[in-house]
Amino acid sequence: MPPSEDISMQLLTTHIAVYETAEFTAAASRLHVAQSTVSKRIALLERRIGARLFVRRASDDAVATRAGRELYDSAVRIVRLWSDTRFRMQRRRQGVTSFCLLMSHTASTTLLPRVITAIQDLLDMMDFTVHTMNSDAIVSAIERKQAQLGIIEKPVGTDAVSLRMLGEDHLVLAGRDAGDRTLWLVREPGSGVRYYTDLYQRTIATSRPATVELDSNDKICALLAHGIGRSIVSRDIVPPGVPVRSLPNAFTRHFYAVTAQTGLDPDQRGLCDDIIEAVTPSTL
């Protein structure tokens, strides 16, 4: 019996959820249905496609097959087209557009003024919020559809998100060298700059220094401004009067815009484009 052509949007959105979460249970939570419902939908979709889409592990992990990966790419385009068409036809404009922007700590300091300047004429027509967190947490939140756009400091992501390169961020070594008594101020694991701090200490530093871990650039800059410690930070946020030392080209990084592959309406995608354009140098 040949595979059926009758495949609903419900089945495609279920496939997308399982693919992006890599778990049947997590997909069920995202879709607000029972886990058994997700399993039945995927089984039905496999029968109608005529191919196995996931290899399911005992731990509930769902590993996509080649057919599953190919279907995901098509399903994203089909569901987006249908969602956009429905959005335009219904055009429910009584409410405001909800939009959540997540920014890394450095991006908040250096890029947020440009973002607000670019979209300030639109703010009376939307519910616009900005939250700051480290890069890994931002990618995780975008994957879970908890925000529409993230700006991060390192190229991390999965098939469920799209990355787009933005402008450069030049890192410097800030603070005074106290020899063996030098105190290093470092960000928490998962932050964009922590990778480069670890790289410096592996490849350039001559000894293992005393270290204090802090969860924001503001705290690091406050200590640097008081003559306490050294840290690798963005050149643009070094407090006045704090000595800096240039670093090799390997310590010049880019900001990246991260968006979910699915779940944005046309207005939200348009706002993403406006923000990305505002913070992207014309040379890129």
Side-chain angles (χ1 to χ4, degrees):
M1 180 178 177
S4 171
E5 296 295 330
D6 182 15
I7 296 176
S8 67
M9 290 294 162
Q10 184 183 74
L11 296 183
L12 293 180
T13 55
T14 301
H15 177 75
I16 289 171
V18 175
Y19 185 94
E20 292 183 350
T21 63
E23 289 184 2
F24 279 65
T25 300
S29 178
R30 175 189 290 187
L31 297 171
H32 306 291
V33 298
Q35 186 270 340
S36 59
T37 300
V38 171
S39 297
K40 291 176 182 177
R41 289 178 184 175
I42 293 300
L44 176 59
L45 184 58
E46 288 178 331
R47 289 197 299 272
R48 293 183 174 177
I49 289 292
R52 191 173 189 184
L53 301 174
F54 297 99
V55 177
R56 191 166 179 181
R57 309 296 188 189
S59 61
D60 195 41
D61 292 344
V63 180
T65 63
R66 179 176 178 179
R69 293 191 295 272
E70 291 178 355
L71 180 60
Y72 173 78
D73 293 337
S74 296
V76 167
R77 292 192 295 270
I78 294 168
V79 170
R80 178 180 295 175
L81 177 60
W82 169 241
S83 297
D84 288 357
T85 301
R86 187 174 58 182
F87 181 86
R88 288 191 297 269
M89 293 181 70
Q90 293 177 345
R91 208 64 186 173
R92 296 174 181 171
R93 307 308 295 160
Q94 294 84 356
V96 296
T97 297
S98 295
F99 194 96
C100 179
L101 170 63
L102 305 179
M103 304 185 79
S104 67
H105 291 261
T106 301
S108 291
T109 303
T110 60
L111 301 181
L112 185 56
R114 278 191 268 169
V115 170
I116 299 301
T117 298
I119 66 170
Q120 59 183 345
D121 291 341
L122 304 174
L123 292 177
D124 60 344
M125 298 183 292
M126 67 178 69
D127 178 12
F128 186 84
T129 58
V130 182
H131 298 284
T132 301
M133 56 184 67
N134 71 43
S135 295
D136 286 354
I138 288 174
V139 172
S140 178
I142 294 293
E143 288 177 330
R144 296 196 302 271
K145 320 293 187 185
Q146 294 174 340
Q148 284 68 51
L149 174 64
I151 299 179
I152 61 177
E153 303 161 17
K154 57 182 181 178
V156 295
T158 67
D159 290 341
V161 302
S162 173
L163 289 180
R164 182 169 168 181
M165 184 183 294
L166 305 176
E168 289 184 342
D169 180 37
H170 297 271
L171 298 175
V172 295
L173 180 58
R176 293 177 174 82
D177 185 358
D180 292 340
R181 296 178 59 82
T182 298
L183 175 67
W184 270 79
L185 312 173
V186 303
R187 285 289 306 281
E188 77 283 3
S191 68
V193 76
R194 179 60 180 266
Y195 166 83
Y196 291 93
T197 302
D198 293 342
L199 175 64
Y200 180 91
Q201 293 182 348
R202 286 197 311 268
T203 60
I204 298 178
T206 57
S207 62
R208 182 70 177 176
T211 299
V212 173
E213 184 177 296
L214 301 158
D215 63 358
S216 77
N217 290 336
D218 289 342
K219 294 175 183 176
I220 289 176
C221 288
L223 291 172
L224 292 174
H226 282 80
I228 300 172
R230 300 185 93 187
S231 186
I232 291 177
V233 296
S234 172
R235 181 179 61 191
D236 295 332
I237 69 171
V238 178
V242 174
V244 299
R245 195 177 93 190
S246 298
L247 294 171
N249 289 337
F251 293 85
T252 297
R253 59 183 180 173
H254 286 87
F255 292 113
Y256 294 85
V258 54
T259 54
Q261 295 281 20
T262 59
L264 301 180
D265 66 40
D267 286 353
Q268 290 169 336
R269 285 205 302 275
L271 189 57
C272 284
D273 291 340
D274 290 343
I275 292 173
I276 290 170
E277 181 180 0
V279 298
T280 303
S282 58
T283 54
L284 283 184

mmCIF file with all atom_site columns, all heavy atoms in Angstrom, residues 82-94 265:
data_model
loop_
_atom_site.group_PDB
_atom_site.id
_atom_site.type_symbol
_atom_site.label_atom_id
_atom_site.label_alt_id
_atom_site.label_comp_id
_atom_site.label_asym_id
_atom_site.label_entity_id
_atom_site.label_seq_id
_atom_site.pdbx_PDB_ins_code
_atom_site.Cartn_x
_atom_site.Cartn_y
_atom_site.Cartn_z
_atom_site.occupancy
_atom_site.B_iso_or_equiv
_atom_site.pdbx_formal_charge
_atom_site.auth_seq_id
_atom_site.auth_comp_id
_atom_site.auth_asym_id
_atom_site.auth_atom_id
_atom_site.pdbx_PDB_model_num
ATOM 1   N N   . TRP A 1 82  ? 2.302  28.351 5.890  1.00 0.00 ? 82  TRP A N   1
ATOM 2   C CA  . TRP A 1 82  ? 0.922  28.285 6.350  1.00 0.00 ? 82  TRP A CA  1
ATOM 3   C C   . TRP A 1 82  ? 0.666  29.287 7.481  1.00 0.00 ? 82  TRP A C   1
ATOM 4   O O   . TRP A 1 82  ? -0.343 29.994 7.483  1.00 0.00 ? 82  TRP A O   1
ATOM 5   C CB  . TRP A 1 82  ? 0.589  26.875 6.813  1.00 0.00 ? 82  TRP A CB  1
ATOM 6   C CG  . TRP A 1 82  ? -0.713 26.767 7.542  1.00 0.00 ? 82  TRP A CG  1
ATOM 7   C CD1 . TRP A 1 82  ? -0.912 26.361 8.821  1.00 0.00 ? 82  TRP A CD1 1
ATOM 8   C CD2 . TRP A 1 82  ? -2.018 27.092 7.037  1.00 0.00 ? 82  TRP A CD2 1
ATOM 9   N NE1 . TRP A 1 82  ? -2.233 26.409 9.155  1.00 0.00 ? 82  TRP A NE1 1
ATOM 10  C CE2 . TRP A 1 82  ? -2.944 26.846 8.073  1.00 0.00 ? 82  TRP A CE2 1
ATOM 11  C CE3 . TRP A 1 82  ? -2.481 27.558 5.806  1.00 0.00 ? 82  TRP A CE3 1
ATOM 12  C CZ2 . TRP A 1 82  ? -4.298 27.072 7.928  1.00 0.00 ? 82  TRP A CZ2 1
ATOM 13  C CZ3 . TRP A 1 82  ? -3.846 27.777 5.666  1.00 0.00 ? 82  TRP A CZ3 1
ATOM 14  C CH2 . TRP A 1 82  ? -4.734 27.524 6.714  1.00 0.00 ? 82  TRP A CH2 1
ATOM 15  N N   . SER A 1 83  ? 1.591  29.383 8.420  1.00 0.00 ? 83  SER A N   1
ATOM 16  C CA  . SER A 1 83  ? 1.419  30.314 9.538  1.00 0.00 ? 83  SER A CA  1
ATOM 17  C C   . SER A 1 83  ? 1.377  31.757 9.054  1.00 0.00 ? 83  SER A C   1
ATOM 18  O O   . SER A 1 83  ? 0.557  32.560 9.517  1.00 0.00 ? 83  SER A O   1
ATOM 19  C CB  . SER A 1 83  ? 2.563  30.134 10.549 1.00 0.00 ? 83  SER A CB  1
ATOM 20  O OG  . SER A 1 83  ? 2.534  28.841 11.115 1.00 0.00 ? 83  SER A OG  1
ATOM 21  N N   . ASP A 1 84  ? 2.242  32.094 8.103  1.00 0.00 ? 84  ASP A N   1
ATOM 22  C CA  . ASP A 1 84  ? 2.250  33.456 7.572  1.00 0.00 ? 84  ASP A CA  1
ATOM 23  C C   . ASP A 1 84  ? 0.958  33.761 6.818  1.00 0.00 ? 84  ASP A C   1
ATOM 24  O O   . ASP A 1 84  ? 0.394  34.860 6.926  1.00 0.00 ? 84  ASP A O   1
ATOM 25  C CB  . ASP A 1 84  ? 3.442  33.644 6.627  1.00 0.00 ? 84  ASP A CB  1
ATOM 26  C CG  . ASP A 1 84  ? 4.768  33.693 7.376  1.00 0.00 ? 84  ASP A CG  1
ATOM 27  O OD1 . ASP A 1 84  ? 4.744  33.633 8.627  1.00 0.00 ? 84  ASP A OD1 1
ATOM 28  O OD2 . ASP A 1 84  ? 5.813  33.782 6.714  1.00 0.00 ? 84  ASP A OD2 1
ATOM 29  N N   . THR A 1 85  ? 0.484  32.784 6.059  1.00 0.00 ? 85  THR A N   1
ATOM 30  C CA  . THR A 1 85  ? -0.763 32.982 5.308  1.00 0.00 ? 85  THR A CA  1
ATOM 31  C C   . THR A 1 85  ? -1.931 33.191 6.258  1.00 0.00 ? 85  THR A C   1
ATOM 32  O O   . THR A 1 85  ? -2.740 34.112 6.079  1.00 0.00 ? 85  THR A O   1
ATOM 33  C CB  . THR A 1 85  ? -1.034 31.776 4.402  1.00 0.00 ? 85  THR A CB  1
ATOM 34  O OG1 . THR A 1 85  ? 0.059  31.615 3.491  1.00 0.00 ? 85  THR A OG1 1
ATOM 35  C CG2 . THR A 1 85  ? -2.319 31.963 3.618  1.00 0.00 ? 85  THR A CG2 1
ATOM 36  N N   . ARG A 1 86  ? -2.012 32.378 7.285  1.00 0.00 ? 86  ARG A N   1
ATOM 37  C CA  . ARG A 1 86  ? -3.092 32.512 8.269  1.00 0.00 ? 86  ARG A CA  1
ATOM 38  C C   . ARG A 1 86  ? -2.998 33.844 9.014  1.00 0.00 ? 86  ARG A C   1
ATOM 39  O O   . ARG A 1 86  ? -4.014 34.504 9.260  1.00 0.00 ? 86  ARG A O   1
ATOM 40  C CB  . ARG A 1 86  ? -3.031 31.350 9.256  1.00 0.00 ? 86  ARG A CB  1
ATOM 41  C CG  . ARG A 1 86  ? -4.200 31.303 10.227 1.00 0.00 ? 86  ARG A CG  1
ATOM 42  C CD  . ARG A 1 86  ? -4.148 30.052 11.073 1.00 0.00 ? 86  ARG A CD  1
ATOM 43  N NE  . ARG A 1 86  ? -2.899 29.968 11.822 1.00 0.00 ? 86  ARG A NE  1
ATOM 44  C CZ  . ARG A 1 86  ? -2.583 28.949 12.609 1.00 0.00 ? 86  ARG A CZ  1
ATOM 45  N NH1 . ARG A 1 86  ? -3.398 27.916 12.717 1.00 0.00 ? 86  ARG A NH1 1
ATOM 46  N NH2 . ARG A 1 86  ? -1.451 28.940 13.265 1.00 0.00 ? 86  ARG A NH2 1
ATOM 47  N N   . PHE A 1 87  ? -1.775 34.245 9.324  1.00 0.00 ? 87  PHE A N   1
ATOM 48  C CA  . PHE A 1 87  ? -1.560 35.521 10.021 1.00 0.00 ? 87  PHE A CA  1
ATOM 49  C C   . PHE A 1 87  ? -2.065 36.692 9.181  1.00 0.00 ? 87  PHE A C   1
ATOM 50  O O   . PHE A 1 87  ? -2.758 37.584 9.680  1.00 0.00 ? 87  PHE A O   1
ATOM 51  C CB  . PHE A 1 87  ? -0.074 35.689 10.321 1.00 0.00 ? 87  PHE A CB  1
ATOM 52  C CG  . PHE A 1 87  ? 0.278  36.949 11.064 1.00 0.00 ? 87  PHE A CG  1
ATOM 53  C CD1 . PHE A 1 87  ? 0.222  37.001 12.445 1.00 0.00 ? 87  PHE A CD1 1
ATOM 54  C CD2 . PHE A 1 87  ? 0.670  38.088 10.376 1.00 0.00 ? 87  PHE A CD2 1
ATOM 55  C CE1 . PHE A 1 87  ? 0.548  38.160 13.128 1.00 0.00 ? 87  PHE A CE1 1
ATOM 56  C CE2 . PHE A 1 87  ? 1.002  39.258 11.040 1.00 0.00 ? 87  PHE A CE2 1
ATOM 57  C CZ  . PHE A 1 87  ? 0.939  39.284 12.419 1.00 0.00 ? 87  PHE A CZ  1
ATOM 58  N N   . ARG A 1 88  ? -1.726 36.696 7.897  1.00 0.00 ? 88  ARG A N   1
ATOM 59  C CA  . ARG A 1 88  ? -2.141 37.793 7.029  1.00 0.00 ? 88  ARG A CA  1
ATOM 60  C C   . ARG A 1 88  ? -3.656 37.801 6.824  1.00 0.00 ? 88  ARG A C   1
ATOM 61  O O   . ARG A 1 88  ? -4.285 38.864 6.767  1.00 0.00 ? 88  ARG A O   1
ATOM 62  C CB  . ARG A 1 88  ? -1.435 37.690 5.676  1.00 0.00 ? 88  ARG A CB  1
ATOM 63  C CG  . ARG A 1 88  ? 0.049  38.045 5.727  1.00 0.00 ? 88  ARG A CG  1
ATOM 64  C CD  . ARG A 1 88  ? 0.614  38.194 4.325  1.00 0.00 ? 88  ARG A CD  1
ATOM 65  N NE  . ARG A 1 88  ? 0.536  36.949 3.573  1.00 0.00 ? 88  ARG A NE  1
ATOM 66  C CZ  . ARG A 1 88  ? 1.502  36.034 3.545  1.00 0.00 ? 88  ARG A CZ  1
ATOM 67  N NH1 . ARG A 1 88  ? 2.618  36.232 4.243  1.00 0.00 ? 88  ARG A NH1 1
ATOM 68  N NH2 . ARG A 1 88  ? 1.371  34.938 2.830  1.00 0.00 ? 88  ARG A NH2 1
ATOM 69  N N   . MET A 1 89  ? -4.264 36.614 6.721  1.00 0.00 ? 89  MET A N   1
ATOM 70  C CA  . MET A 1 89  ? -5.711 36.554 6.480  1.00 0.00 ? 89  MET A CA  1
ATOM 71  C C   . MET A 1 89  ? -6.506 36.951 7.718  1.00 0.00 ? 89  MET A C   1
ATOM 72  O O   . MET A 1 89  ? -7.533 37.631 7.632  1.00 0.00 ? 89  MET A O   1
ATOM 73  C CB  . MET A 1 89  ? -6.103 35.154 6.019  1.00 0.00 ? 89  MET A CB  1
ATOM 74  C CG  . MET A 1 89  ? -5.543 34.796 4.648  1.00 0.00 ? 89  MET A CG  1
ATOM 75  S SD  . MET A 1 89  ? -6.021 33.156 4.093  1.00 0.00 ? 89  MET A SD  1
ATOM 76  C CE  . MET A 1 89  ? -7.760 33.400 3.795  1.00 0.00 ? 89  MET A CE  1
ATOM 77  N N   . GLN A 1 90  ? -6.048 36.553 8.880  1.00 0.00 ? 90  GLN A N   1
ATOM 78  C CA  . GLN A 1 90  ? -6.769 36.892 10.109 1.00 0.00 ? 90  GLN A CA  1
ATOM 79  C C   . GLN A 1 90  ? -6.494 38.334 10.539 1.00 0.00 ? 90  GLN A C   1
ATOM 80  O O   . GLN A 1 90  ? -7.387 39.058 10.944 1.00 0.00 ? 90  GLN A O   1
ATOM 81  C CB  . GLN A 1 90  ? -6.378 35.927 11.225 1.00 0.00 ? 90  GLN A CB  1
ATOM 82  C CG  . GLN A 1 90  ? -6.834 34.504 10.973 1.00 0.00 ? 90  GLN A CG  1
ATOM 83  C CD  . GLN A 1 90  ? -6.364 33.556 12.065 1.00 0.00 ? 90  GLN A CD  1
ATOM 84  O OE1 . GLN A 1 90  ? -5.479 33.884 12.857 1.00 0.00 ? 90  GLN A OE1 1
ATOM 85  N NE2 . GLN A 1 90  ? -6.936 32.372 12.104 1.00 0.00 ? 90  GLN A NE2 1
ATOM 86  N N   . ARG A 1 91  ? -5.240 38.701 10.465 1.00 0.00 ? 91  ARG A N   1
ATOM 87  C CA  . ARG A 1 91  ? -4.783 40.066 10.740 1.00 0.00 ? 91  ARG A CA  1
ATOM 88  C C   . ARG A 1 91  ? -5.443 40.648 11.983 1.00 0.00 ? 91  ARG A C   1
ATOM 89  O O   . ARG A 1 91  ? -6.117 41.681 11.967 1.00 0.00 ? 91  ARG A O   1
ATOM 90  C CB  . ARG A 1 91  ? -5.067 40.960 9.532  1.00 0.00 ? 91  ARG A CB  1
ATOM 91  C CG  . ARG A 1 91  ? -4.089 42.121 9.401  1.00 0.00 ? 91  ARG A CG  1
ATOM 92  C CD  . ARG A 1 91  ? -2.693 41.590 9.149  1.00 0.00 ? 91  ARG A CD  1
ATOM 93  N NE  . ARG A 1 91  ? -1.700 42.655 9.166  1.00 0.00 ? 91  ARG A NE  1
ATOM 94  C CZ  . ARG A 1 91  ? -0.407 42.430 9.104  1.00 0.00 ? 91  ARG A CZ  1
ATOM 95  N NH1 . ARG A 1 91  ? 0.061  41.203 9.036  1.00 0.00 ? 91  ARG A NH1 1
ATOM 96  N NH2 . ARG A 1 91  ? 0.440  43.427 9.125  1.00 0.00 ? 91  ARG A NH2 1
ATOM 97  N N   . ARG A 1 92  ? -5.256 39.957 13.065 1.00 0.00 ? 92  ARG A N   1
ATOM 98  C CA  . ARG A 1 92  ? -5.842 40.427 14.319 1.00 0.00 ? 92  ARG A CA  1
ATOM 99  C C   . ARG A 1 92  ? -4.917 41.491 14.918 1.00 0.00 ? 92  ARG A C   1
ATOM 100 O O   . ARG A 1 92  ? -3.967 41.179 15.624 1.00 0.00 ? 92  ARG A O   1
ATOM 101 C CB  . ARG A 1 92  ? -6.016 39.259 15.284 1.00 0.00 ? 92  ARG A CB  1
ATOM 102 C CG  . ARG A 1 92  ? -7.006 38.220 14.757 1.00 0.00 ? 92  ARG A CG  1
ATOM 103 C CD  . ARG A 1 92  ? -7.053 37.009 15.657 1.00 0.00 ? 92  ARG A CD  1
ATOM 104 N NE  . ARG A 1 92  ? -7.978 36.018 15.149 1.00 0.00 ? 92  ARG A NE  1
ATOM 105 C CZ  . ARG A 1 92  ? -8.077 34.787 15.646 1.00 0.00 ? 92  ARG A CZ  1
ATOM 106 N NH1 . ARG A 1 92  ? -7.328 34.426 16.646 1.00 0.00 ? 92  ARG A NH1 1
ATOM 107 N NH2 . ARG A 1 92  ? -8.939 33.935 15.128 1.00 0.00 ? 92  ARG A NH2 1
ATOM 108 N N   . ARG A 1 93  ? -5.216 42.738 14.640 1.00 0.00 ? 93  ARG A N   1
ATOM 109 C CA  . ARG A 1 93  ? -4.321 43.818 15.027 1.00 0.00 ? 93  ARG A CA  1
ATOM 110 C C   . ARG A 1 93  ? -4.784 44.588 16.258 1.00 0.00 ? 93  ARG A C   1
ATOM 111 O O   . ARG A 1 93  ? -4.280 45.661 16.533 1.00 0.00 ? 93  ARG A O   1
ATOM 112 C CB  . ARG A 1 93  ? -4.164 44.781 13.836 1.00 0.00 ? 93  ARG A CB  1
ATOM 113 C CG  . ARG A 1 93  ? -3.743 44.118 12.549 1.00 0.00 ? 93  ARG A CG  1
ATOM 114 C CD  . ARG A 1 93  ? -2.506 43.253 12.713 1.00 0.00 ? 93  ARG A CD  1
ATOM 115 N NE  . ARG A 1 93  ? -1.350 44.045 13.066 1.00 0.00 ? 93  ARG A NE  1
ATOM 116 C CZ  . ARG A 1 93  ? -0.252 43.569 13.631 1.00 0.00 ? 93  ARG A CZ  1
ATOM 117 N NH1 . ARG A 1 93  ? -0.172 42.305 13.975 1.00 0.00 ? 93  ARG A NH1 1
ATOM 118 N NH2 . ARG A 1 93  ? 0.762  44.364 13.900 1.00 0.00 ? 93  ARG A NH2 1
ATOM 119 N N   . GLN A 1 94  ? -5.795 44.054 16.964 1.00 0.00 ? 94  GLN A N   1
ATOM 120 C CA  . GLN A 1 94  ? -6.247 44.791 18.140 1.00 0.00 ? 94  GLN A CA  1
ATOM 121 C C   . GLN A 1 94  ? -5.165 44.819 19.220 1.00 0.00 ? 94  GLN A C   1
ATOM 122 O O   . GLN A 1 94  ? -5.027 45.795 19.938 1.00 0.00 ? 94  GLN A O   1
ATOM 123 C CB  . GLN A 1 94  ? -7.528 44.162 18.713 1.00 0.00 ? 94  GLN A CB  1
ATOM 124 C CG  . GLN A 1 94  ? -8.746 44.275 17.806 1.00 0.00 ? 94  GLN A CG  1
ATOM 125 C CD  . GLN A 1 94  ? -8.794 43.176 16.777 1.00 0.00 ? 94  GLN A CD  1
ATOM 126 O OE1 . GLN A 1 94  ? -7.872 42.360 16.695 1.00 0.00 ? 94  GLN A OE1 1
ATOM 127 N NE2 . GLN A 1 94  ? -9.856 43.157 15.988 1.00 0.00 ? 94  GLN A NE2 1
ATOM 128 N N   . ASP A 1 265 ? 6.030  35.053 13.924 1.00 0.00 ? 265 ASP A N   1
ATOM 129 C CA  . ASP A 1 265 ? 5.075  35.543 12.934 1.00 0.00 ? 265 ASP A CA  1
ATOM 130 C C   . ASP A 1 265 ? 5.768  36.590 12.050 1.00 0.00 ? 265 ASP A C   1
ATOM 131 O O   . ASP A 1 265 ? 6.898  37.011 12.347 1.00 0.00 ? 265 ASP A O   1
ATOM 132 C CB  . ASP A 1 265 ? 3.808  36.087 13.602 1.00 0.00 ? 265 ASP A CB  1
ATOM 133 C CG  . ASP A 1 265 ? 4.034  37.339 14.440 1.00 0.00 ? 265 ASP A CG  1
ATOM 134 O OD1 . ASP A 1 265 ? 4.808  38.217 14.020 1.00 0.00 ? 265 ASP A OD1 1
ATOM 135 O OD2 . ASP A 1 265 ? 3.426  37.454 15.525 1.00 0.00 ? 265 ASP A OD2 1
#
